[in-house]
Amino acid sequence: MRLEVTTDIGRLGDLEVLAQELQDQAGTFARRTPSIHGVLGLCLRSLPAEVNRRSFTRFDRRGDALDIDLSVPEESLGGATVDQQRELMGSELRGLLTSGFASRAAPWTAEQRSLLRTAGEELLQSIGWVNGRRQRATRRLSAGHALAEVSNDTGLPLGEVEDLYADLITRTDTTVNR
């Protein structure tokens, strides 16, 4: 299956960079899904929250294409690091891929659907959109590793690791106090 990525860039965020990360994996995705004809078309959008644009999936039989339109509010991306944007987009895209690959309109066999789910998950993991640096850092912090060590091991700036640690402590305090 061929992977094609496009973006509708808003004022905030790094969607162009993120779209390129996905597009760079098109060859790998196609090699993982050789028995499946057609196109997986992904469009990444960031629009003002007031537009209230919803993400959607649609299988087009005529074009033999699964179209996924992922739309996030610009305000969710503004001020976020690229890694934070990857987490947000990865979480959203993972859900859309799951529902898209389950489309009844698509002529895929159960085996092909399973292959698509696996290839989609591998795609997201390979570019750090799922189980990326921030998630690995959070797990290491939860296990008691030192902040500087986590920063060095994950490649995240120390300030971002400190923010993750503060969030982790806040969540832990909130859970304990309930």
Side-chain angles (χ1 to χ4, degrees), residues 149-165:
E149 176 187 336
V150 172
S151 176
N152 287 334
D153 291 348
T154 62
L156 285 174
L158 183 58
E160 193 165 347
V161 172
E162 290 169 344
D163 291 344
L164 286 170
Y165 183 71

Side-chain angles (χ1 to χ4, degrees), residues 50-119:
E50 64 201 30
V51 172
N52 199 27
R53 168 92 183 213
R54 296 194 181 266
S55 299
F56 66 88
T57 65
R58 175 183 58 231
F59 186 81
D60 177 10
R61 283 186 178 269
R62 291 173 304 204
D64 202 18
L66 174 61
D67 295 320
I68 296 180
D69 191 306
L70 171 56
S71 184
V72 296
E74 284 179 332
E75 296 81 357
S76 299
L77 302 177
T81 67
V82 174
D83 281 310
Q84 289 170 321
Q85 293 175 53
R86 283 184 187 113
E87 278 184 2
L88 172 65
M89 301 299 282
S91 174
E92 295 289 323
L93 185 53
R94 181 188 239 175
L96 291 168
L97 287 171
T98 298
S99 65
F101 293 151
S103 171
R104 292 184 208 181
W108 305 316
T109 66
E111 182 179 313
Q112 288 173 322
R113 290 174 196 279
S114 177
L115 179 60
L116 284 166
R117 283 190 301 275
T118 300

Side-chain angles (χ1 to χ4, degrees), residues 30-49:
R31 284 188 296 280
R32 289 283 294 127
T33 57
S35 65
I36 305 167
H37 299 286
V39 177
L40 171 57
L42 302 176
C43 181
L44 307 181
R45 299 180 194 275
S46 69
L47 300 166

